[in-house]
Amino acid sequence: MQNYSTDAINIKTYPISEFDNIVVMFSKDMGLIRGIAKGVKRPKSKLGAASQALVANSLVLSERRNLDIIKEASAINSFNKLRYNLDKLTMAIYITEAINIFCTADNSEKAQNEEIYNLLYKTLDNIQNAQDKTRILLSAIKFQLAFMKLSGFGIELKRCLKCSSEPTGSVLFSPETGGIACVDCAIEQVHYVKMHEKIREFLIALNETPIHLKTKYDDIVNEKVTNSCFNLLKKYIEITGNKKSKAFKVMEETKSRLKGV
Ligand SMILES: [Zn+2]
């Protein structure tokens, strides 16, 4: 059996036997993969911390017919600042849920896997270093736009999906199709949300700027705008992936429990 190495970010982990866990990871080379972390629940396991969710590792895996075995893992980034803030942790879980829904194991798309890996890494790093809730949401919106583009479901914000013209002023946005329509082009059967021209300019700027660069809006945007844009794109992603995010539901329950309500 052959060994191979790759960098990967842990998406989630679950038990398979008394001492072993399965780790679902997004790897730089092969996309979404699974591996067994053997003996990880024994007190002296070398894999313990490295096999937690939301850790980026440099790995050596051993190929097996069914599930590959994680032989070595050394942490590249543990994203520790994510773990002590409920809003940051929830958003990180939301991001990894999207990866888990849209991505598969595929080693033929090496360049695309690397782009998604880098996007995920940068987003988790941006979220852990975010100064406030607006900056957490802003990092997530940048992820939503770039990730959907990389997955082949890019959002159309410039041209009307019906007449292909480039409307000015306010437009309608459909979370079902992920595109805009001129006010006059609305189709009765489609559900639209009115999108103000300033919001559209903001989203276009984010959509066209590489994630490692700042846009002119990064320092001035407020929580209300980022929150409504995030929810709009979240709806599109849920409809496209045919799955609702559980991350925020869990957060609401946890918050109520902490308050003792
Ligand atoms: Zn139109």
Side-chain angles (χ1 to χ4, degrees):
M1 299 287 172
Q2 267 199 321
N3 283 356
Y4 62 95
S5 54
T6 186
D7 291 350
I9 297 169
N10 298 341
I11 302 292
K12 61 175 183 176
T13 171
Y14 53 92
I16 187 175
S17 63
E18 192 182 354
F19 295 112
D20 307 338
N21 275 355
I22 287 187
V23 188
V24 181
M25 306 161 269
F26 191 85
S27 67
K28 209 174 199 170
D29 301 285
M30 290 151 294
L32 199 70
I33 56 170
R34 275 157 223 274
I36 301 183
K38 275 196 171 293
V40 74
K41 284 182 273 180
R42 293 182 193 276
K44 284 182 180 165
S45 167
K46 280 188 287 180
L47 291 177
S51 72
Q52 277 181 21
L54 306 171
V55 175
N57 288 303
S58 189
L59 299 170
V60 177
L61 292 108
S62 174
E63 231 176 296
R64 292 290 189 275
R65 201 183 309 156
N66 295 321
L67 269 171
D68 297 351
I69 294 174
I70 301 170
K71 301 290 265 187
E72 290 166 35
S74 58
I76 305 166
N77 194 336
S78 306
F79 302 107
N80 270 329
K81 283 183 268 171
L82 287 177
R83 292 167 210 279
Y84 306 106
N85 176 306
L86 197 52
D87 289 322
K88 290 182 179 181
L89 185 61
T90 305
M91 193 57 87
I93 293 168
Y94 165 74
I95 300 291
T96 52
E97 273 179 355
I99 297 274
N100 199 28
I101 291 167
F102 284 88
C103 298
T104 52
D106 186 356
N107 42 22
S108 64
E109 297 285 345
K110 209 170 178 311
Q112 192 189 9
N113 289 335
E114 193 168 339
E115 278 196 74
I116 294 175
Y117 176 89
N118 291 337
L119 173 65
L120 174 60
Y121 188 99
K122 182 74 184 142
T123 303
L124 294 177
D125 210 39
N126 284 345
I127 293 174
Q128 78 161 342
N129 291 315
Q131 298 299 317
D132 52 33
K133 198 158 179 199
T134 305
R135 255 38 67 173
I136 296 174
L137 288 159
L138 185 65
S139 309
I141 297 167
K142 290 181 178 185
F143 171 85
Q144 289 172 315
L145 290 165
F147 180 61
M148 291 315 271
K149 207 188 287 175
L150 280 170
S151 304
F153 299 102
I155 294 157
E156 178 57 65
L157 293 157
K158 281 193 156 170
R159 286 182 183 279
C160 167
L161 284 184
K162 191 166 174 231
C163 73
S164 298
S165 71
E166 286 190 34
T168 50
S170 296
V171 294
L172 302 169
F173 178 79
S174 152
E176 278 140 61
T177 58
I180 58 154
C182 324
V183 180
D184 300 333
C185 282
I187 304 166
E188 213 171 281
Q189 296 84 350
V190 178
H191 167 71
Y192 295 100
V193 182
K194 196 166 178 207
M195 187 181 267
H196 190 277
E197 68 176 306
K198 293 274 178 235
I199 298 287
R200 184 155 72 111
E201 281 167 18
F202 165 67
L203 286 173
I204 289 174
L206 261 55
N207 203 23
E208 291 180 345
T209 308
I211 191 157
H212 58 279
L213 299 177
K214 263 184 152 185
T215 72
K216 63 176 180 180
Y217 298 100
D218 284 33
D219 294 325
I220 54 167
V221 72
N222 62 36
E223 188 175 328
K224 192 176 163 219
V225 167
T226 47
N227 200 37
S228 85
C229 289
F230 171 76
N231 282 314
L232 203 58
L233 298 180
K234 177 170 170 276
K235 195 157 192 193
Y236 168 60
I237 294 171
E238 284 179 346
I239 292 171
T240 311
N242 202 14
K243 206 161 182 177
K244 279 207 155 188
S245 166
K246 286 190 219 138
F248 296 94
K249 200 167 169 268
V250 172
M251 180 184 73
E252 290 309 320
E253 283 168 11
T254 309
K255 274 191 173 164
S256 325
R257 233 172 272 161
L258 290 174
K259 279 186 209 147
V261 179

